[in-house]
Amino acid sequence: MTYTRDHPPVPDAEELRARIPGWGIDLDPAVRPSVPKLRPEETGAHWDFPERQPEKRPRERSIEHAFLTPVFGTSAPLRGLSGRIRRHAYAHYSEARAAHWLLLILGDRVDAWENHLRSFATLRPDNPVTETGVSSEFTAGGLRSRLHEKRVDRAHQWIDPIIIAGPWLLAGAIGLRVIRAITRHR
């Protein structure tokens, strides 16, 4: 069983070796570089199963595991649409599927936009010019450093303004259209 100091049962090695190319290449201790550090009889663990952290609100968990790890992070609880997307990724897709990871990336992007929109409700909304470093291009030698020949990112510099400013310009254009449609309707 996982999360115990006992080693989980190893399936039949010959069956795995026949099914998975290269499986078990490190079974021989002579070719495994970490063998001196791996002494299961000397783990130093004073427990058979670690004390579980209390789960105060439902957490996302992989469908491959029966329960959460004994200790888990709670620094960024899920909320809003991004939380729903992440929960869906964990509830319906294995971690071995690309859909799982693509949904998590989508959840991150949606979370960024939720936080941008949430900032407009505060006294200090996000400032894309200063927070993306655009002003440093003109004040701290940014243009000169961009033209330096040894930069490895010169090949994609042309797309940086589109990626950084594009979503803001698109959101502004959509906002303008919404405002115009509301004023025309009235």
Side-chain angles (χ1 to χ4, degrees):
M1 176 180 215
T2 52
Y3 311 123
T4 64
R5 67 178 173 195
D6 298 329
H7 192 277
V10 179
D12 179 40
E14 292 307 317
E15 186 266 326
L16 287 173
R17 198 172 280 124
R19 187 168 45 111
I20 304 169
W23 186 91
I25 198 161
D26 61 348
L27 281 181
D28 182 14
V31 296
R32 194 177 327 148
S34 62
V35 163
K37 298 176 193 170
L38 298 174
R39 292 195 177 95
E41 66 277 354
E42 298 176 18
T43 63
H46 57 82
W47 41 262
D48 185 40
F49 188 86
E51 184 179 333
R52 297 182 62 78
Q53 176 181 346
E55 187 178 355
K56 294 181 179 167
R57 62 175 84 122
R59 296 285 307 175
E60 63 281 1
R61 63 175 52 90
S62 172
I63 59 175
E64 282 104 8
H65 301 286
F67 49 85
L68 279 174
T69 56
V71 178
F72 51 88
T74 57
S75 65
L78 303 181
R79 62 173 183 248
L81 178 61
S82 63
R84 285 184 176 182
I85 292 170
R86 289 181 181 131
R87 279 190 195 99
H88 181 78
Y90 277 103
H92 296 284
Y93 296 103
S94 161
E95 290 180 18
R97 303 265 317 268
H100 174 84
W101 298 105
L102 289 172
L103 283 171
L104 291 180
I105 291 171
L106 175 65
D108 287 346
R109 295 294 84 221
V110 169
D111 186 44
W113 275 100
E114 285 174 340
N115 285 313
H116 288 314
L117 293 174
R118 195 174 293 118
S119 78
F120 289 124
T122 66
L123 295 175
R124 296 191 62 172
D126 291 345
N127 184 346
V129 174
T130 58
E131 292 175 6
T132 57
V134 171
S135 58
S136 68
E137 292 288 330
F138 306 106
T139 59
L143 188 60
R144 184 179 61 237
S145 71
R146 279 192 177 271
L147 299 176
H148 196 272
E149 290 182 21
K150 293 186 178 180
R151 285 188 61 128
V152 295
D153 64 344
R154 286 188 70 183
H156 65 77
Q157 283 181 356
W158 65 271
I159 200 168
D160 288 348
I162 297 169
I163 291 173
I164 300 298
W168 287 100
L169 294 173
L170 181 65
I174 291 171
L176 262 163
R177 285 189 140 192
V178 167
I179 290 170
R180 284 182 182 165
I182 291 172
T183 54
R184 281 187 201 146
H185 186 66
R186 288 186 179 182

